[in-house]
Amino acid sequence: MSTRSSPFTDLLKQPGRRAVVLDGGLATELEHQGQDLSQGDLWSARLLAENPEAVQQVHRAYYAAGADVATTCSYQASHQGFAQAGYAQDAADELMRRSVQLADAARCSMHDHTSNSRRRLVAFSCGTYGAVSADGTEYDGNFADKVTVEQLMDFHMRRLEAVAHETAIDLVAFETIPCAKELEAIARLARTQALPAPAWVSVSCKDDSHTCHGEDFAASCLPLLIDCDAIVAVGFNCTAPRHIVPLLHNARCALEQHRAQSRKLLLAYPNSGEGYVSSQQGWDGMPDLTAEQYGSAARQWVAAGARLIGGCCRTTPDHIRGVAANVIDHF
């Protein structure tokens, strides 16, 4: 699948548009609403059962801020996680489908003056295997030493099977992937199984070159994904903004070397720049950028090659509003 047939084609053809705008931190905004996500290991996915209206409200807030894409509240959702919380498999499947339905309902409820000229999209979030354990290994990828590629494939495939018939899904977002082994599993899955929709793959990195688990992204990870036609975009999320430009530069050069630049879009939706401390189960440090500066930085990410830009942990609708203002003329 080339970028000519990707869900982003029409958006990127719009005059005065330099990038597709992704949404921002879902859990961050839920917490700003007053939701307590610290109870249990399901994190924001718990609200799919307990307060779905709050989830839909956040999707609406990001669409209203200028996002073209709403990412479903399924990052932490998995059969293992729901089972540990006492949900049967059928109930887990239904909650994953509900995550799609809530994002779609938010999309359908948007009847502003831009609705005729902009096609809003829904991406089903497939978060990293490390998120299931809720012990911080999603941020370092150390689970790679304990599971096989086949186990990782099965983990992702079971979630995709649960939403296979949800026609509202425009994209599958494999996100916050911290290690090469999980990327290998996703690539093999994308080659051998029919995905519900075209996919993007987003990696978390700890510096200008390396995944959180330590592999060189451009040299060791990107080659795993280049020949997967079902994957239309690759890039970085839950990574500090200060690393995004060099990461994009290295990825762009690697794509050019593989003559794959025309077949893969680059994406970037970094976090605030704060660091997650597993022992404290919380964030530490100061943001790299204010919301206004974050929006301005989107121009640098476009110049470095990104065509899908949004935010991750600790970013808000204000960050996304700034991104939209800087990548869409007359926003």
Side-chain angles (χ1 to χ4, degrees):
M1 181 178 297
S2 71
T3 56
R4 289 192 299 273
S5 60
S6 82
F8 310 114
T9 301
D10 291 342
L11 286 170
L12 290 171
K13 286 181 178 178
Q14 291 177 355
R17 177 186 283 272
R18 290 172 288 281
V20 172
V21 182
L22 309 180
D23 59 6
L26 188 103
T28 301
E29 194 58 18
L30 286 169
E31 289 176 328
H32 286 171
Q33 286 184 4
Q35 303 296 327
D36 182 3
L37 306 183
S38 64
Q39 301 176 23
D41 293 338
L42 288 176
W43 197 37
S44 55
R46 178 172 55 84
L47 297 187
L48 293 172
E50 298 181 9
N51 196 342
E53 294 81 6
V55 175
Q56 184 174 331
Q57 183 178 340
V58 171
H59 289 318
R60 280 183 53 83
Y62 277 116
Y63 277 138
D68 298 303
V69 183
T71 308
T72 60
C73 186
S74 52
Y75 172 82
Q76 199 93 359
S78 70
H79 291 89
Q80 296 95 314
F82 280 129
Q84 291 166 9
Y87 291 90
Q89 179 171 328
D90 288 349
D93 288 346
E94 178 56 34
L95 289 173
M96 291 185 214
R97 288 191 288 268
R98 184 177 296 173
S99 75
V100 178
Q101 294 158 6
L102 291 170
D104 186 44
R107 167 171 57 184
C108 293
S109 71
M110 302 297 293
H111 297 296
D112 58 36
H113 66 281
T114 64
S115 60
N116 291 326
S117 60
R118 292 176 55 215
R119 181 183 176 226
R120 294 184 174 91
L121 304 172
V122 170
F124 179 69
S125 172
C126 278
T128 171
Y129 177 89
V132 176
S133 58
D135 61 358
T137 56
E138 65 190 289
Y139 298 107
D140 57 29
N142 286 340
F143 62 83
D145 304 323
K146 304 173 185 177
V147 294
T148 66
V149 169
E150 290 73 21
Q151 287 174 311
L152 292 170
M153 289 176 65
D154 181 68
F155 168 77
H156 287 294
M157 193 64 215
R158 291 182 67 197
R159 293 190 290 179
L160 294 175
E161 288 173 344
V163 299
H165 300 295
E166 290 295 320
T167 57
I169 297 176
D170 300 295
L171 297 149
V172 174
F174 294 103
E175 53 183 356
T176 322
I177 309 302
C179 59
K181 180 179 279 188
E182 191 165 19
L183 290 173
E184 181 183 351
I186 291 167
R188 192 183 300 181
L189 189 66
R191 289 191 185 97
T192 60
Q193 303 294 326
L195 303 183
W200 83 56
V201 178
S202 189
V203 178
S204 57
C205 291
K206 63 181 181 179
D207 56 30
D208 293 354
S209 303
H210 299 91
T211 69
C212 287
H213 194 238
E215 300 96 351
D216 187 297
F217 175 78
S220 302
C221 298
L222 191 56
L224 297 171
L225 308 172
I226 284 176
D227 294 330
C228 296
D229 290 340
I231 297 172
V232 297
V234 295
F236 313 97
N237 80 297
C238 217
T239 298
R242 59 186 175 274
H243 301 313
I244 294 299
V245 169
L247 283 166
L248 287 170
H249 173 76
N250 291 339
R252 191 176 186 178
C253 290
L255 288 175
E256 289 173 349
Q257 290 174 2
H258 288 273
R259 297 182 180 178
Q261 189 176 24
S262 64
R263 294 187 289 113
K264 291 283 184 285
L265 296 172
L266 287 175
L267 61 84
Y269 52 114
N271 57 29
S272 66
E274 297 162 83
Y276 187 81
V277 182
S278 300
S279 60
Q280 301 175 10
Q281 293 191 336
W283 295 85
D284 189 36
M286 296 295 293
D288 282 6
L289 307 167
T290 65
E292 182 179 359
Q293 292 168 338
Y294 191 100
S296 299
R299 289 181 175 267
Q300 301 174 26
W301 304 335
V302 168
R307 292 297 175 264
L308 283 66
I309 297 176
C312 195
C313 298
R314 314 288 280 181
T315 63
T316 69
D318 286 340
H319 291 78
I320 299 309
R321 191 172 291 108
V323 170
N326 279 277
V327 303
I328 305 173
D329 290 346
H330 312 299
F331 170 70

